[in-house]
PDB file of all heavy atoms in Angstrom:
ATOM      1  N   HIS A  83     243.125 -90.677  82.700  1.00 98.00           N
ATOM      2  CA  HIS A  83     242.553 -89.583  81.891  1.00 98.00           C
ATOM      3  C   HIS A  83     242.702 -89.888  80.427  1.00 98.00           C
ATOM      4  O   HIS A  83     241.776 -89.793  79.649  1.00 98.00           O
ATOM      5  CB  HIS A  83     243.194 -88.252  82.253  1.00 98.00           C
ATOM      6  CG  HIS A  83     242.864 -87.753  83.600  1.00 98.00           C
ATOM      7  ND1 HIS A  83     243.347 -86.580  84.163  1.00 98.00           N
ATOM      8  CD2 HIS A  83     242.073 -88.266  84.583  1.00 98.00           C
ATOM      9  CE1 HIS A  83     242.872 -86.392  85.350  1.00 98.00           C
ATOM     10  NE2 HIS A  83     242.120 -87.431  85.681  1.00 98.00           N
ATOM     11  N   LYS A  84     243.914 -90.265  80.020  1.00 98.00           N
ATOM     12  CA  LYS A  84     244.184 -90.586  78.626  1.00 98.00           C
ATOM     13  C   LYS A  84     243.239 -91.675  78.136  1.00 98.00           C
ATOM     14  O   LYS A  84     242.578 -91.510  77.118  1.00 98.00           O
ATOM     15  CB  LYS A  84     245.616 -91.128  78.489  1.00 98.00           C
ATOM     16  CG  LYS A  84     246.609 -90.081  78.080  1.00 98.00           C
ATOM     17  CD  LYS A  84     247.965 -90.726  77.757  1.00 98.00           C
ATOM     18  CE  LYS A  84     249.045 -89.652  77.535  1.00 98.00           C
ATOM     19  NZ  LYS A  84     250.373 -90.122  77.880  1.00 98.00           N
ATOM     20  N   ALA A  85     243.161 -92.776  78.854  1.00 98.00           N
ATOM     21  CA  ALA A  85     242.369 -93.941  78.440  1.00 98.00           C
ATOM     22  C   ALA A  85     240.878 -93.552  78.361  1.00 98.00           C
ATOM     23  O   ALA A  85     240.198 -93.877  77.387  1.00 98.00           O
ATOM     24  CB  ALA A  85     242.592 -95.104  79.350  1.00 98.00           C
ATOM     25  N   PHE A  86     240.412 -92.844  79.378  1.00 98.00           N
ATOM     26  CA  PHE A  86     238.949 -92.557  79.443  1.00 98.00           C
ATOM     27  C   PHE A  86     238.568 -91.578  78.340  1.00 98.00           C
ATOM     28  O   PHE A  86     237.560 -91.832  77.599  1.00 98.00           O
ATOM     29  CB  PHE A  86     238.597 -92.043  80.804  1.00 98.00           C
ATOM     30  CG  PHE A  86     237.119 -91.779  80.955  1.00 98.00           C
ATOM     31  CD1 PHE A  86     236.254 -92.872  81.031  1.00 98.00           C
ATOM     32  CD2 PHE A  86     236.602 -90.499  80.939  1.00 98.00           C
ATOM     33  CE1 PHE A  86     234.844 -92.674  81.119  1.00 98.00           C
ATOM     34  CE2 PHE A  86     235.240 -90.325  81.050  1.00 98.00           C
ATOM     35  CZ  PHE A  86     234.385 -91.381  81.138  1.00 98.00           C
ATOM     36  N   PHE A  87     239.294 -90.497  78.221  1.00 98.00           N
ATOM     37  CA  PHE A  87     238.852 -89.479  77.214  1.00 98.00           C
ATOM     38  C   PHE A  87     238.971 -90.020  75.784  1.00 98.00           C
ATOM     39  O   PHE A  87     238.160 -89.719  74.933  1.00 98.00           O
ATOM     40  CB  PHE A  87     239.613 -88.170  77.399  1.00 98.00           C
ATOM     41  CG  PHE A  87     239.117 -87.372  78.569  1.00 98.00           C
ATOM     42  CD1 PHE A  87     239.731 -87.451  79.810  1.00 98.00           C
ATOM     43  CD2 PHE A  87     238.032 -86.534  78.396  1.00 98.00           C
ATOM     44  CE1 PHE A  87     239.249 -86.705  80.890  1.00 98.00           C
ATOM     45  CE2 PHE A  87     237.513 -85.817  79.483  1.00 98.00           C
ATOM     46  CZ  PHE A  87     238.128 -85.865  80.750  1.00 98.00           C
ATOM     47  N   GLU A  88     239.992 -90.917  75.538  1.00 98.00           N
ATOM     48  CA  GLU A  88     240.090 -91.508  74.232  1.00 98.00           C
ATOM     49  C   GLU A  88     238.922 -92.440  73.971  1.00 98.00           C
ATOM     50  O   GLU A  88     238.341 -92.426  72.910  1.00 98.00           O
ATOM     51  CB  GLU A  88     241.396 -92.349  74.170  1.00 98.00           C
ATOM     52  CG  GLU A  88     242.634 -91.539  73.909  1.00 98.00           C
ATOM     53  CD  GLU A  88     242.639 -90.797  72.543  1.00 98.00           C
ATOM     54  OE1 GLU A  88     242.246 -91.431  71.537  1.00 98.00           O
ATOM     55  OE2 GLU A  88     242.959 -89.599  72.561  1.00 98.00           O
ATOM     56  N   ALA A  89     238.523 -93.181  75.017  1.00 98.00           N
ATOM     57  CA  ALA A  89     237.477 -94.160  74.851  1.00 98.00           C
ATOM     58  C   ALA A  89     236.133 -93.536  74.558  1.00 98.00           C
ATOM     59  O   ALA A  89     235.205 -94.157  73.979  1.00 98.00           O
ATOM     60  CB  ALA A  89     237.312 -95.022  76.115  1.00 98.00           C
ATOM     61  N   ILE A  90     235.980 -92.242  74.922  1.00 98.00           N
ATOM     62  CA  ILE A  90     234.703 -91.532  74.664  1.00 98.00           C
ATOM     63  C   ILE A  90     234.813 -90.440  73.612  1.00 98.00           C
ATOM     64  O   ILE A  90     233.998 -89.527  73.550  1.00 98.00           O
ATOM     65  CB  ILE A  90     234.065 -91.024  75.980  1.00 98.00           C
ATOM     66  CG1 ILE A  90     234.985 -90.024  76.638  1.00 98.00           C
ATOM     67  CG2 ILE A  90     233.699 -92.163  76.916  1.00 98.00           C
ATOM     68  CD1 ILE A  90     234.291 -89.222  77.772  1.00 98.00           C
ATOM     69  N   GLY A  91     235.877 -90.536  72.792  1.00 98.00           N
ATOM     70  CA  GLY A  91     236.040 -89.682  71.639  1.00 98.00           C
ATOM     71  C   GLY A  91     236.399 -88.238  71.934  1.00 98.00           C
ATOM     72  O   GLY A  91     236.375 -87.402  70.993  1.00 98.00           O
ATOM     73  N   GLN A  92     236.854 -87.940  73.121  1.00 98.00           N
ATOM     74  CA  GLN A  92     237.167 -86.526  73.458  1.00 98.00           C
ATOM     75  C   GLN A  92     238.644 -86.294  73.321  1.00 98.00           C
ATOM     76  O   GLN A  92     239.353 -86.053  74.284  1.00 98.00           O
ATOM     77  CB  GLN A  92     236.640 -86.242  74.877  1.00 98.00           C
ATOM     78  CG  GLN A  92     235.157 -86.499  75.061  1.00 98.00           C
ATOM     79  CD  GLN A  92     234.320 -85.761  73.983  1.00 98.00           C
ATOM     80  OE1 GLN A  92     234.395 -84.548  73.868  1.00 98.00           O
ATOM     81  NE2 GLN A  92     233.564 -86.519  73.210  1.00 98.00           N
TER      82      GLN A  92
END
Side-chain angles (χ1 to χ4, degrees):
Chain A
H83 291 179
K84 265 188 188 152
F86 183 72
F87 283 96
E88 281 298 316
I90 59 167
Q92 302 307 302

